[in-house]
Each structure stands twice: as structure tokens, then as C-alpha cells.
């Protein structure tokens, strides 16, 4: 696509070299747009690479309705995920030469489970398409009245860049060392853009442990448990899975899934009371019956292990929460196994979280993800106000929003070009 007035390609500045920014760059470059990607870090895709360290979970194979239910701001994200959802993402990866498979949990992974080969292949394709990369370029502000003139701090000093449109894909506020600093928030706030406060998501939570318990159980996984609590609306939230004992409290996949409700409840009431079922497959009465059997020569620990299947960190949790007197009462022990109470007092800091909630309010954007107050400026990725659990949902939505922002840019540039042609024809 070319500008009728100049005969030159349109130019778009993409700020942020994560999945959303790179996807926007790809869609734009395919349309013949000159794309320049600016990133504050020494290389692009740093958080993407970190996310793939334990195995690159790129998406999820759930049916569409269940998949969409995982997202806050579903009504805003659904059009994006319809245009570029899990199936389209897997096809795109295949075109890139990256085969995928569905794991036993339904999660989608590259066959080699690694992020680095994917990113290398992608960057090679982008460079071959003419995309130019500018690293160590920290976006400073808009130095002029033009929405598409930008100021950057670079190794060569401050520089000014003009483009026909801008895509902001600056990330949220977690893992600042990898580039997601949230430093863009005041820049948009100064332009009267509605930005909801960035908050931790997919994060750990604090609770008090005794030194004795920590000395024996810190870092230990608590497997096969069910956690439940009542959220601020009075609805019960329940999830089964695995979490980990940390020095400050609890973290891990099970806690991350529940994190948004726990965080909101703590924000509103000061704490969150959860119950942990240490034996989801056993009924309360069955446990009472088993634990009421004579112990004989068995130690208390072996009796608990043999009769209830409770040992290790689970046994440690019971001793942490029950008095010595209650520990000798089979009914009280059984009740604690089925509903062990814990009080979470705070979410861990934003910078420790896997992702962040909050960001640019969707009310500030049009359907093409352009800022209503700043024509020509589009937003994508985690800097938008949505959140989702881990499991491939985060990355899929970042890719999808980058695709949608680029589509919005192309539609806006075409309309702008038509308007210029009409104006030129009218003046002749």
C-alpha cells in the first residue's frame, strides 16, 4: 500500500518488541508498510524468552467458549481472539516452520518446547520483509503536537522520529528487568488517556509460616489439593491443582489461577481466607472412620500416612494449623484435612508477578484499538486492561491484539489516503 501523494510506503513506528509488537510489525510489513520497531532493551523478545524457559506454552486447545471464559474484559477481547485465535496462531507457527503439539493438559507447545528457535525464525522473517529494529531506544514522549512524532533516548543521544502511525506495545508492569516497566503510564495519563492502575496478576500471596515449618518445607510442592474461597461478590471460587510453599507464603499454578479473585478480595477487605482440601478424593466421613481406627504401635505420622494418605508437606501443614490437642482428635484432624483454613494477607509485588492487570481502558480505544484522543496511535498487548491465567492464554491474547492493532492501522491509513485523494481532487 502506498501513499498517493508521495508515492512512498506508509511508515509505522512500533514501540515494544514483545509478541504483540512483533505481530503488529509482521501484519503491517506484509501490507507493504515500512515498519520500524523500537525497544528499550538491548534485544527484543526478552520476556517472551523468559516465559519459554520452562517449556514454551504458546496457547491452549480448549473449545472456544471455555477458552474465552478465561479472560477478563471478554467482550473486548472476543473479536480479537475470533480474528486470530489458537487455531490461527498454530497455523501461523506452522508457516514459520514451527510444529506444535497438544500436551495432556490441553496446552499447546512447540515440538521442541523452546522459545529461542521460534523467536530467531520470526526475527529473520521480519528482517527479510524489511522491518528495521532499533534497540536501546527508550521512548520519552511526544515532543510536538503531532501524535505520530516521537522522542527517544538512544545510545547516540536523544532522537526524534516521525511516522504515519504508531503502535504502542509496551507491556504491563511485571518483570521490569525484562522491559515491562510501566513507565508509559504517566505519558498516556498526561494526554488524558484513561489508564487503570497496574496490579499484580498470576502472582504469589503472603501468609505467615512458623520458622519450624519453613525450615522443613520451604520450596516443597503441595500436590493434588483443592483450594476454595468466597470472592468479594460472595461467589465461591474453587480450583484443584498444585502450589508451592515459599518463604512468604504460597505461589504456583493453582494460586495463579485464583489470583485475580484473591487480589481483589484482599484489596477490598484486607485479607483473603481460603480453605485447602488436602485429600479431594476422600470424603470427610471416610477420613473420620479411617483416623478413628486404633493406632496401635504406629507413630502418629505413620497413622496419618497409612489411614489418610497424608504425609510430607501436607502433614506439616496440619501440624502448623492444629494444636497438639486437636491433632489427637480424629474428627478435628479429618475436618482440617478437608478444609484447612489459611489467611492470605497480601499479593506479592507487581514486579514479581508473571503478568499484570489494569492498563489502557478499552473505553479509550475504538474498535481498531486506536486511542480516541490520539488519532494515529494504537495500543496492543499487555498494556491493555485485561488479564488471564497462565496456560497459553496470555500469549495468545498478546498475539491477537497485535494482529488487531495492525489491522486497525491499515484500515485507518487507507481511510486517510482516500480522504487525501478526495481533498486533492476537490482542489484541482
Amino acid at each position: 500500500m502506498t501513499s498517493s501523494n508521495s508515492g512512498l510506503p506508509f511508515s509505522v513506528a512500533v514501540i515494544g518488541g514483545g509478541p504483540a509488537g512483533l505481530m503488529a510489525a509482521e501484519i503491517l510489513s506484509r501490507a507493504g508498510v515500512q515498519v520500524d520497531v523500537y525497544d528499550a532493551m538491548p534485544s527484543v523478545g526478552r520476556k517472551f524468552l523468559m516465559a519459554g524457559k520452562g517449556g514454551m506454552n504458546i496457547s491452549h486447545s480448549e473449545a472456544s467458549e471455555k477458552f474465552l471464559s478465561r479472560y477478563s474484559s471478554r467482550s473486548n477481547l472476543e473479536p480479537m481472539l475470533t480474528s486470530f485465535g489458537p487455531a490461527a496462531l498454530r497455523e501461523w507457527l506452522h508457516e514459520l516452520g514451527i510444529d506444535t503439539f497438544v500436551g495432556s493438559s490441553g496446552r499447546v507447545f512447540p515440538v521442541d518446547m523452546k522459545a529461542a528457535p521460534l523467536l530467531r525464525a520470526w526475527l529473520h522473517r521480519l528482517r527479510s520483509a524489511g522491518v528495521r529494529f532499533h534497540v536501546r531506544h527508550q521512548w520519552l514522549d511526544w515532543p510536538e503536537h503531532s501524535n505520530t512524532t516521537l522522542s527517544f533516548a538512544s545510545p547516540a543521544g536523544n532522537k526524534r522520529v516521525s511516522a504515519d502511525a504508531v503502535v504502542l506495545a509496551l507491556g504491563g508492569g511485571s518483570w521490569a528487568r525484562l522491559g515491562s516497566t510501566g513507565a508509559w503510564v504517566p505519558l498516556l495519563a498526561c494526554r488524558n488517556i484513561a489508564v487503570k492502575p497496574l496490579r499484580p496478576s498470576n502472582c504469589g500471596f503472603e501468609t505467615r509460616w512458623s520458622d519450624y515449618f519453613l525450615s522443613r518445607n520451604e520450596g516443597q510442592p503441595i500436590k493434588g489439593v483443592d483450594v476454595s474461597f468466597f470472592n468479594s461478590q460472595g461467589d465461591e471460587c474453587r480450583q484443584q491443582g498444585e502450589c508451592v510453599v515459599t518463604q512468604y507464603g504460597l505461589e504456583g499454578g493453582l494460586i495463579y489461577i485464583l489470583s485475580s479473585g484473591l487480589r481483589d478480595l484482599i484489596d477490598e477487605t484486607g485479607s483473603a481466607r481460603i480453605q485447602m482440601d488436602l485429600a479431594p478424593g476422600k470424603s470427610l466421613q471416610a477420613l473420620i472412620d479411617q483416623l478413628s481406627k486404633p493406632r496401635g504401635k504406629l507413630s502418629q505420622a505413620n497413622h496419618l500416612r497409612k489411614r489418610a494418605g497424608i504425609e510430607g508437606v501436607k502433614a506439616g501443614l496440619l501440624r502448623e494449623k492444629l494444636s497438639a490437642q486437636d491433632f489427637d482428635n480424629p474428627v478435628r484432624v479429618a475436618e482440617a484435612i478437608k478444609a484447612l483454613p489459611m489467611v492470605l494477607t497480601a499479593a506479592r509485588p507487581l514486579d514479581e508477578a508473571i503478568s499484570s492487570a489494569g492498563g489502557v481502558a478499552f473505553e479509550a480505544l475504538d474498535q481498531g484499538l486506536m486511542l480516541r484522543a490520539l488519532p494515529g496511535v494504537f495500543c496492543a498487548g499487555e498494556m491493555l486492561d485485561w488479564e488471564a491465567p497462565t496456560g497459553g492464554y496470555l500469549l495468545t491474547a498478546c498475539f491477537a491484539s497485535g494482529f488487531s492493532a495492525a489491522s486497525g492501522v491499515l484500515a485507518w491509513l487507507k481511510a486517510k489516503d482516500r480522504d487525501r485523494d478526495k481533498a486533492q481532487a476537490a482542489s484541482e
Side-chain angles (χ1 to χ4, degrees):
M1 182 172 61
T2 60
S3 168
S4 299
N5 288 345
S6 65
L8 297 174
F10 282 114
S11 65
V12 175
V14 175
I15 309 179
L22 295 180
M23 179 55 74
E26 172 152 353
I27 301 306
L28 291 166
S29 63
R30 283 183 185 179
V33 174
Q34 176 58 60
V35 181
D36 287 87
V37 176
Y38 299 88
D39 198 283
M41 302 302 287
S43 58
V44 299
R46 291 201 163 197
K47 191 173 180 181
F48 180 73
L49 291 173
M50 178 62 75
K53 272 201 166 182
M56 182 77 262
N57 179 197
I58 201 79
S59 192
H60 205 289
S61 63
E62 285 176 333
S64 176
E65 184 63 28
K66 189 171 184 181
F67 185 87
L68 290 169
S69 73
R70 305 295 188 180
Y71 294 89
S72 69
S73 299
R74 170 178 170 168
S75 61
N76 295 300
L77 285 171
E78 187 168 354
M80 304 181 215
L81 292 165
T82 300
S83 297
F84 193 85
L89 177 56
R90 293 186 72 182
E91 178 60 29
W92 174 81
L93 286 165
H94 181 73
E95 293 172 359
L96 196 60
I98 306 295
D99 291 328
T100 59
F101 73 96
V102 179
S104 58
S105 65
R107 298 182 179 195
V108 177
F109 301 89
V111 168
D112 65 3
M113 301 288 286
K114 297 177 181 178
L118 190 166
L119 183 60
R120 281 197 300 269
W122 194 7
L123 293 178
H124 175 74
R125 185 160 77 180
L126 289 172
R127 290 190 175 100
S128 297
V131 176
R132 299 182 297 212
F133 290 89
H134 311 267
V135 296
R136 294 189 174 91
H137 277 64
Q138 175 70 49
W139 177 46
L140 299 176
D141 57 19
W142 288 278
E144 298 177 0
H145 293 298
S146 170
N147 299 336
T148 56
T149 298
L150 309 159
S151 177
F152 292 91
S154 75
N158 288 3
K159 64 192 304 185
R160 188 169 296 186
V161 171
S162 292
D164 294 298
V166 174
V167 176
L168 302 178
L170 292 156
S174 63
W175 295 4
R177 68 188 185 280
L178 300 178
S180 297
T181 64
W184 53 268
V185 173
L187 295 176
L188 268 61
C190 286
R191 288 298 194 97
N192 297 315
I193 306 300
V195 179
K196 297 186 179 180
L198 298 179
R199 299 190 292 164
S201 182
N202 292 297
C203 57
F205 288 84
E206 297 178 6
T207 192
R208 185 180 296 277
W209 303 124
S210 68
D211 292 340
Y212 180 86
F213 176 80
L214 273 180
S215 68
R216 288 160 175 75
N217 296 290
E218 183 178 357
Q220 292 299 311
I222 311 171
K223 297 183 177 182
V225 293
D226 186 298
V227 169
S228 63
F229 70 99
F230 288 91
N231 65 20
S232 55
Q233 287 77 46
D235 301 321
E236 185 180 31
C237 302
R238 182 179 295 273
Q239 186 70 37
Q240 190 169 330
E242 177 179 326
C243 55
V244 178
V245 173
T246 68
Q247 185 176 29
Y248 59 76
L250 292 170
E251 65 176 32
L254 172 57
I255 299 300
Y256 298 156
I257 291 174
L258 299 170
S259 64
S260 62
L262 291 170
R263 178 201 64 223
D264 291 347
L265 183 58
I266 292 171
D267 285 349
E268 292 185 23
T269 67
S271 64
R273 182 182 177 86
I274 66 172
Q275 290 187 335
M276 185 176 288
D277 183 348
L278 301 177
K282 297 181 173 68
S283 70
L284 174 60
Q285 190 57 55
L287 287 168
I288 292 173
D289 293 343
Q290 287 295 314
L291 292 171
S292 297
K293 291 181 178 181
R295 200 170 78 189
K297 294 182 179 180
L298 289 174
S299 66
Q300 202 170 41
N302 282 332
H303 180 65
L304 194 60
R305 176 183 57 78
K306 184 175 180 181
R307 303 300 184 192
I310 299 296
E311 59 184 326
V313 65
K314 290 184 177 180
L317 284 169
L318 288 176
R319 292 187 179 278
E320 181 78 352
K321 299 298 180 180
L322 291 176
S323 67
Q325 182 178 359
D326 284 342
F327 211 87
D328 287 329
N329 183 328
V331 175
R332 286 292 297 117
V333 172
E335 289 174 342
I337 290 172
K338 293 302 294 179
L340 190 68
M342 297 184 197
V343 176
L344 307 181
T345 56
R348 292 299 290 172
L350 174 60
D351 192 42
E352 295 181 17
I354 291 175
S355 59
S356 57
V360 177
F362 280 99
E363 293 77 12
L365 301 159
D366 69 9
Q367 291 184 334
L369 298 183
M370 184 172 74
L371 289 167
R372 298 181 190 276
L374 299 175
V377 181
F378 298 73
C379 296
E382 202 179 330
M383 68 182 294
L384 302 178
D385 180 26
W386 61 276
E387 64 179 313
T390 58
Y393 308 104
L394 293 166
L395 277 175
T396 301
C398 285
F399 282 110
S401 66
F403 180 95
S404 293
S407 300
V409 170
L410 292 174
W412 185 75
L413 289 175
K414 287 178 181 177
K416 187 178 177 181
D417 208 29
R418 286 196 299 269
D419 290 343
R420 285 191 302 205
D421 287 346
K422 289 178 182 178
Q424 185 175 355
S427 66
E428 291 176 353

